[in-house]
PDB file of all heavy atoms in Angstrom:
ATOM      1  N   VAL B 187      -9.543  -4.377  -2.368  1.00  0.00           N
ATOM      2  CA  VAL B 187      -9.684  -5.674  -1.694  1.00  0.00           C
ATOM      3  C   VAL B 187     -10.980  -6.354  -2.137  1.00  0.00           C
ATOM      4  O   VAL B 187     -11.006  -7.557  -2.428  1.00  0.00           O
ATOM      5  CB  VAL B 187      -9.634  -5.495  -0.160  1.00  0.00           C
ATOM      6  CG1 VAL B 187      -9.945  -6.786   0.555  1.00  0.00           C
ATOM      7  CG2 VAL B 187      -8.270  -4.986   0.268  1.00  0.00           C
ATOM      8  N   GLU B 188     -12.062  -5.573  -2.227  1.00  0.00           N
ATOM      9  CA  GLU B 188     -13.340  -6.134  -2.709  1.00  0.00           C
ATOM     10  C   GLU B 188     -13.186  -6.653  -4.136  1.00  0.00           C
ATOM     11  O   GLU B 188     -13.695  -7.716  -4.483  1.00  0.00           O
ATOM     12  CB  GLU B 188     -14.429  -5.044  -2.705  1.00  0.00           C
ATOM     13  CG  GLU B 188     -14.957  -4.686  -1.338  1.00  0.00           C
ATOM     14  CD  GLU B 188     -15.955  -3.535  -1.411  1.00  0.00           C
ATOM     15  OE1 GLU B 188     -16.734  -3.468  -2.383  1.00  0.00           O
ATOM     16  OE2 GLU B 188     -15.943  -2.694  -0.490  1.00  0.00           O
ATOM     17  N   LEU B 189     -12.474  -5.873  -4.934  1.00  0.00           N
ATOM     18  CA  LEU B 189     -12.248  -6.241  -6.339  1.00  0.00           C
ATOM     19  C   LEU B 189     -11.466  -7.541  -6.439  1.00  0.00           C
ATOM     20  O   LEU B 189     -11.757  -8.406  -7.279  1.00  0.00           O
ATOM     21  CB  LEU B 189     -11.464  -5.106  -7.001  1.00  0.00           C
ATOM     22  CG  LEU B 189     -11.575  -4.918  -8.500  1.00  0.00           C
ATOM     23  CD1 LEU B 189     -13.015  -4.678  -8.907  1.00  0.00           C
ATOM     24  CD2 LEU B 189     -10.731  -3.733  -8.927  1.00  0.00           C
ATOM     25  N   CYS B 190     -10.508  -7.682  -5.566  1.00  0.00           N
ATOM     26  CA  CYS B 190      -9.683  -8.883  -5.546  1.00  0.00           C
ATOM     27  C   CYS B 190     -10.527 -10.115  -5.208  1.00  0.00           C
ATOM     28  O   CYS B 190     -10.391 -11.162  -5.845  1.00  0.00           O
ATOM     29  CB  CYS B 190      -8.587  -8.696  -4.506  1.00  0.00           C
ATOM     30  SG  CYS B 190      -7.092  -9.473  -4.968  1.00  0.00           S
ATOM     31  N   ASN B 191     -11.399  -9.965  -4.204  1.00  0.00           N
ATOM     32  CA  ASN B 191     -12.267 -11.086  -3.802  1.00  0.00           C
ATOM     33  C   ASN B 191     -13.195 -11.469  -4.946  1.00  0.00           C
ATOM     34  O   ASN B 191     -13.384 -12.654  -5.250  1.00  0.00           O
ATOM     35  CB  ASN B 191     -13.105 -10.692  -2.575  1.00  0.00           C
ATOM     36  CG  ASN B 191     -12.277 -10.588  -1.309  1.00  0.00           C
ATOM     37  OD1 ASN B 191     -11.226 -11.210  -1.185  1.00  0.00           O
ATOM     38  ND2 ASN B 191     -12.747  -9.769  -0.371  1.00  0.00           N
ATOM     39  N   LEU B 192     -13.761 -10.453  -5.599  1.00  0.00           N
ATOM     40  CA  LEU B 192     -14.690 -10.693  -6.700  1.00  0.00           C
ATOM     41  C   LEU B 192     -13.970 -11.324  -7.889  1.00  0.00           C
ATOM     42  O   LEU B 192     -14.497 -12.213  -8.566  1.00  0.00           O
ATOM     43  CB  LEU B 192     -15.345  -9.366  -7.112  1.00  0.00           C
ATOM     44  CG  LEU B 192     -16.581  -9.424  -8.004  1.00  0.00           C
ATOM     45  CD1 LEU B 192     -17.650 -10.321  -7.417  1.00  0.00           C
ATOM     46  CD2 LEU B 192     -17.141  -8.030  -8.217  1.00  0.00           C
ATOM     47  N   LYS B 193     -12.737 -10.911  -8.111  1.00  0.00           N
ATOM     48  CA  LYS B 193     -11.936 -11.449  -9.213  1.00  0.00           C
ATOM     49  C   LYS B 193     -11.697 -12.943  -9.013  1.00  0.00           C
ATOM     50  O   LYS B 193     -11.776 -13.730  -9.955  1.00  0.00           O
ATOM     51  CB  LYS B 193     -10.612 -10.691  -9.279  1.00  0.00           C
ATOM     52  CG  LYS B 193      -9.816 -10.945 -10.539  1.00  0.00           C
ATOM     53  CD  LYS B 193      -8.572 -10.083 -10.557  1.00  0.00           C
ATOM     54  CE  LYS B 193      -7.727 -10.415 -11.772  1.00  0.00           C
ATOM     55  NZ  LYS B 193      -6.503  -9.614 -11.840  1.00  0.00           N
ATOM     56  N   GLN B 194     -11.433 -13.323  -7.786  1.00  0.00           N
ATOM     57  CA  GLN B 194     -11.197 -14.735  -7.487  1.00  0.00           C
ATOM     58  C   GLN B 194     -12.472 -15.548  -7.703  1.00  0.00           C
ATOM     59  O   GLN B 194     -12.425 -16.649  -8.270  1.00  0.00           O
ATOM     60  CB  GLN B 194     -10.718 -14.902  -6.043  1.00  0.00           C
ATOM     61  CG  GLN B 194      -9.288 -14.435  -5.860  1.00  0.00           C
ATOM     62  CD  GLN B 194      -8.703 -14.794  -4.512  1.00  0.00           C
ATOM     63  OE1 GLN B 194      -9.422 -15.106  -3.575  1.00  0.00           O
ATOM     64  NE2 GLN B 194      -7.401 -14.751  -4.409  1.00  0.00           N
ATOM     65  N   GLU B 195     -13.612 -14.992  -7.275  1.00  0.00           N
ATOM     66  CA  GLU B 195     -14.890 -15.696  -7.478  1.00  0.00           C
ATOM     67  C   GLU B 195     -15.176 -15.837  -8.970  1.00  0.00           C
ATOM     68  O   GLU B 195     -15.590 -16.900  -9.434  1.00  0.00           O
ATOM     69  CB  GLU B 195     -16.038 -14.891  -6.843  1.00  0.00           C
ATOM     70  CG  GLU B 195     -16.126 -15.011  -5.344  1.00  0.00           C
ATOM     71  CD  GLU B 195     -17.259 -14.162  -4.782  1.00  0.00           C
ATOM     72  OE1 GLU B 195     -18.279 -13.975  -5.482  1.00  0.00           O
ATOM     73  OE2 GLU B 195     -17.113 -13.672  -3.650  1.00  0.00           O
ATOM     74  N   LEU B 196     -14.955 -14.756  -9.719  1.00  0.00           N
ATOM     75  CA  LEU B 196     -15.230 -14.766 -11.166  1.00  0.00           C
ATOM     76  C   LEU B 196     -14.320 -15.757 -11.884  1.00  0.00           C
ATOM     77  O   LEU B 196     -14.761 -16.462 -12.794  1.00  0.00           O
ATOM     78  CB  LEU B 196     -15.031 -13.364 -11.744  1.00  0.00           C
ATOM     79  CG  LEU B 196     -16.231 -12.443 -11.626  1.00  0.00           C
ATOM     80  CD1 LEU B 196     -15.847 -11.009 -11.943  1.00  0.00           C
ATOM     81  CD2 LEU B 196     -17.355 -12.886 -12.555  1.00  0.00           C
ATOM     82  N   SER B 197     -13.069 -15.789 -11.480  1.00  0.00           N
ATOM     83  CA  SER B 197     -12.126 -16.712 -12.116  1.00  0.00           C
ATOM     84  C   SER B 197     -12.602 -18.150 -11.937  1.00  0.00           C
ATOM     85  O   SER B 197     -12.573 -18.958 -12.868  1.00  0.00           O
ATOM     86  CB  SER B 197     -10.752 -16.493 -11.479  1.00  0.00           C
ATOM     87  OG  SER B 197      -9.812 -17.309 -12.074  1.00  0.00           O
ATOM     88  N   LYS B 198     -13.090 -18.425 -10.732  1.00  0.00           N
ATOM     89  CA  LYS B 198     -13.598 -19.776 -10.424  1.00  0.00           C
ATOM     90  C   LYS B 198     -14.861 -20.061 -11.240  1.00  0.00           C
ATOM     91  O   LYS B 198     -14.983 -21.131 -11.850  1.00  0.00           O
ATOM     92  CB  LYS B 198     -13.902 -19.833  -8.937  1.00  0.00           C
ATOM     93  CG  LYS B 198     -14.162 -21.216  -8.375  1.00  0.00           C
ATOM     94  CD  LYS B 198     -14.476 -21.124  -6.887  1.00  0.00           C
ATOM     95  CE  LYS B 198     -15.142 -22.392  -6.423  1.00  0.00           C
ATOM     96  NZ  LYS B 198     -15.661 -22.279  -5.043  1.00  0.00           N
ATOM     97  N   ASP B 199     -15.782 -19.098 -11.278  1.00  0.00           N
ATOM     98  CA  ASP B 199     -17.059 -19.293 -11.990  1.00  0.00           C
ATOM     99  C   ASP B 199     -16.842 -19.461 -13.482  1.00  0.00           C
ATOM    100  O   ASP B 199     -17.463 -20.326 -14.121  1.00  0.00           O
ATOM    101  CB  ASP B 199     -17.997 -18.101 -11.739  1.00  0.00           C
ATOM    102  CG  ASP B 199     -18.509 -18.065 -10.312  1.00  0.00           C
ATOM    103  OD1 ASP B 199     -18.324 -19.069  -9.593  1.00  0.00           O
ATOM    104  OD2 ASP B 199     -19.081 -17.031  -9.908  1.00  0.00           O
TER     105      ASP B 199
END
Side-chain angles (χ1 to χ4, degrees):
Chain B
V187 173
E188 285 176 37
L189 205 59
C190 214
N191 289 335
L192 194 54
K193 192 176 176 180
Q194 287 190 342
E195 283 179 31
L196 275 168
S197 182
K198 192 181 162 189
D199 290 348

